[in-house]
Amino acid sequence: MTTRYPASVDVAIVGSGPTGAAYARILSEQAPDATIAMFEVGPTVSDPPGAHVKNIADPDERAHAQLLSEGPDAQDDGERVGGIVKTAARRARPGTYLLDAGYQVDGEDGLPVAAFSSNVGGMAAHWTGACPRPNDSERIGFLDAEGVLDELLSEGERLLGVTTGAFDASPHAPLVRGRLATAADEGREEHERVQRMPLAVHRRDDGQLVWSGSDVVLGEPTRANPNFTLHDESLVTRVLIEDGRAAGVQVTDLRSGESHEVHARFVVVAGDALRTPQLLWASGIRPAALGRYLNDQAQIVFAVRIRDFVPAAGSEGEARTGLSEYSGVTWVPFTDEMPFHGQVMQLDASPVALAEDDPAAPGSIVGLGLFCAKDLQESDRVEFSEDAVDGYGMPAMTLHYTLSAADHATIDRAKAEVVRLGTAIGEPLDDRPFMMPLGASLHYQGTTRMGETDDGDSVCGPDSQVWGVPGLFVAGNGVIPTSTACNPTLTSVALSVRGARSIASALASV
């Protein structure tokens, strides 16, 4: 870690989440002589930098790390646990903070709980680690046509440390999978059937399960790279452009308030799907599609209790991190016929508290979440102000977002389906499913979307380079151009791999 900025580097990366980390890792492996500087607006909250906060064993230390991640106005309001639970109230999950204004325009649905994290590792320090592959129309057709998408996804799985057997010791997970399979598998192809959720989770040498964060993506090749530096509490306010090409970044040291220019041959903006277009807009880089096609995944939740299964004595295991052996995550893949993605997990693995667990049968509360694919609309967008600013002094944003008739039909189908699947598992805790406030998925996409050609409907090309601005690349969930229901992190990391390879190739050719 260093707080002194270099005058120039080969590659400047804005954002330390999994996609920015993927650029640093691939460049460290394929262009080890390249100098790389990574800038993160938030502080370092875990050790190693970018590690998931759930791996912090002490609950008070974990809560403190979450608090530090909650933006420029972070404060402890005394409600440090839970999440958004059967209420329309605007309440953020620990480790995140809400957009304080502009989240809903009169007459529109808006994204009332649109949220961010500001910390080294980004949202990957707080996520649930689900890494399913996209299916059917979730896949990016022009990359499929090139025959490269699956290879990129495999490389993304390597970087994220994705496994499928982390929770094989869970006493309830096989029962849940079996009952779900009976209810859901008929008519599905093999790869679309109920299965273990691919998770960025691994087992430490001491036997404990831990979540992957950006630390895993960076890996030893990046940490051991003497040409790589990570600068926290560093706000990038502008991408520098010279002769029409990306030439570096302007960055403010939040500790001292001083502003610096760091010149670079390549710039990668790897923020979230709201702040990446914000930085481009603030830099005067405003292609027609910037901020448009914003999409979230409406989330329908339901909870059941398993009463007819008692785990064998001694199977509980002690959780010294934020995971226990009772956890289990099951996946019901998206299909075009059933346009939602199912994520089913025991209570202690869930980021949303749906009920109190049964102390007599730990792990017996099972939460079901169906994520719905959005009907993509150009009018769903994030706009930026010429005058007003946010807590970091960047252009304030306003979200325009409306559910279409097709979206409402999908949501109605998902409500019926989640009850059907939940009833197949156990005894419902409530009569009706609950739709989380829009924005709760934290899976915002589309605002810097990738396209095969520069047709005005995309911001970047197939290698993530911004149209018309050589040397400028975008990364993150905002790059995904399709309507997805599955968790997007694996796909966005895969797309980052392709972009990083493009930069590495360009560096090698000079």
Side-chain angles (χ1 to χ4, degrees):
M1 300 291 297
T2 176
T3 56
R4 298 183 62 185
Y5 305 127
S8 64
V9 291
D10 290 311
V11 184
I13 301 173
V14 184
S16 63
T19 58
Y23 270 86
R25 172 71 172 272
I26 294 298
L27 289 167
S28 294
E29 292 176 342
Q30 298 190 6
D33 293 331
T35 52
I36 308 164
M38 175 179 283
F39 303 95
E40 168 58 51
V41 69
T44 300
V45 301
S46 53
D47 184 21
H52 201 299
V53 300
K54 278 192 176 181
N55 301 334
I56 301 172
D58 183 86
D60 292 332
E61 291 181 13
R62 189 184 314 147
H64 182 63
Q66 290 169 331
L67 177 62
L68 291 176
S69 303
E70 295 175 7
D73 301 314
Q75 58 182 343
D76 191 342
D77 60 5
E79 297 183 9
R80 306 294 311 146
V81 296
I84 306 154
V85 185
K86 296 195 175 182
T87 175
R90 297 185 67 241
R91 184 177 175 191
R93 300 179 195 174
T96 73
Y97 63 100
L98 298 174
L99 184 62
D100 59 0
Y103 50 82
Q104 187 174 17
V105 174
D106 288 346
E108 299 179 357
D109 295 292
L111 294 176
V113 292
F116 312 85
S117 287
S118 291
N119 54 271
V120 172
M123 199 69 77
H126 312 282
W127 69 323
T128 57
C131 290
R133 289 194 176 204
N135 187 48
D136 283 356
S137 59
E138 294 180 310
R139 295 175 65 88
I140 302 168
F142 54 84
L143 294 184
D144 257 347
E146 296 179 23
V148 302
L149 182 58
D150 283 323
E151 187 274 330
L152 293 173
L153 291 167
S154 294
E155 184 70 344
E157 289 166 342
R158 176 182 77 92
L159 297 183
L160 287 160
V162 175
T163 63
T164 57
F167 290 105
D168 281 353
S170 166
H172 292 89
L175 179 69
V176 170
R177 280 198 304 274
R179 291 180 176 178
L180 275 174
T182 298
D185 279 355
E186 184 176 357
R188 288 176 175 251
E189 296 184 27
E190 184 174 355
H191 70 281
E192 299 170 341
R193 294 173 185 164
V194 172
Q195 57 196 275
R196 296 172 177 86
M197 177 70 79
L199 294 168
V201 176
H202 63 281
R203 195 174 292 277
R204 283 192 324 218
D205 291 342
D206 65 2
Q208 285 296 299
L209 292 173
V210 293
W211 296 107
S212 295
S214 286
D215 63 318
V216 171
V217 181
L218 290 167
E220 285 308 312
T222 309
R223 282 189 288 271
N225 181 358
N227 296 318
F228 170 76
T229 54
L230 170 61
H231 307 268
D232 67 355
E233 299 188 64
S234 299
L235 171 66
V236 174
T237 58
R238 185 162 59 95
V239 176
L240 304 177
I241 304 294
E242 295 179 3
D243 299 324
R245 179 183 176 85
V249 297
Q250 181 173 308
V251 57
T252 298
D253 184 339
L254 295 182
R255 293 187 178 94
S256 67
E258 297 177 349
S259 181
H260 304 261
E261 287 190 356
V262 178
H263 293 274
R265 297 165 65 186
F266 297 91
V267 175
V268 180
V269 182
D272 54 54
L274 299 176
R275 288 183 287 186
T276 289
Q278 180 189 52
L279 178 56
L280 266 60
W281 194 90
S283 306
I285 303 165
R286 303 177 184 180
L290 185 71
R292 295 188 176 272
Y293 298 99
L294 170 65
N295 65 98
D296 178 39
Q297 298 165 350
Q299 186 178 358
I300 313 301
V301 297
F302 195 58
V304 300
R305 185 188 306 274
I306 302 175
R307 291 194 182 276
D308 55 347
F309 179 77
V310 179
S315 65
E316 59 271 13
E318 178 187 358
R320 295 193 296 274
T321 65
L323 288 174
S324 83
E325 299 294 341
Y326 274 114
S327 301
V329 186
T330 298
W331 176 28
V332 184
F334 165 95
T335 69
D336 286 342
E337 291 74 26
M338 298 293 282
F340 17 82
H341 150 89
Q343 186 166 311
V344 182
M345 58 182 65
Q346 264 77 10
L347 180 64
D348 77 317
S350 173
V352 177
L354 297 171
E356 294 295 327
D357 210 341
D358 184 347
S364 64
I365 302 298
V366 178
L368 295 88
L370 292 186
F371 295 80
C372 302
K374 180 73 171 70
D375 178 24
L376 297 186
Q377 303 175 116
E378 185 183 15
S379 58
D380 292 328
R381 65 198 186 278
V382 53
E383 291 183 341
F384 302 102
S385 173
E386 295 279 4
D387 305 308
V389 297
D390 64 13
Y392 288 111
M394 296 295 286
M397 59 183 72
T398 297
L399 306 184
H400 292 272
Y401 199 79
T402 303
L403 296 176
S404 70
D407 290 323
H408 284 290
T410 299
I411 289 167
D412 288 343
R413 288 184 64 191
K415 288 179 177 179
E417 181 68 2
V418 78
V419 171
R420 188 182 74 85
L421 295 178
T423 303
I425 296 172
E427 174 187 309
L429 298 185
D430 202 344
D431 294 334
R432 295 179 297 174
F434 175 71
M435 178 172 164
M436 303 283 277
L438 292 174
S441 79
L442 307 178
H443 295 168
Y444 323 126
Q445 302 168 58
T447 52
T448 53
R449 68 200 308 251
M450 176 182 288
E452 187 173 16
T453 60
D454 185 7
D455 58 3
D457 280 335
S458 59
V459 171
C460 66
D463 62 355
S464 298
Q465 188 167 210
V466 174
W467 297 118
V469 189
L472 176 60
F473 290 70
V474 284
N477 295 341
V479 176
I480 299 172
T482 55
S483 177
T484 72
C486 73
N487 312 69
T489 302
L490 174 63
T491 300
S492 60
V493 168
L495 299 180
S496 297
V497 168
R498 182 174 171 119
R501 288 173 177 172
S502 178
I503 294 175
S505 177
L507 289 170
S509 67
V510 176

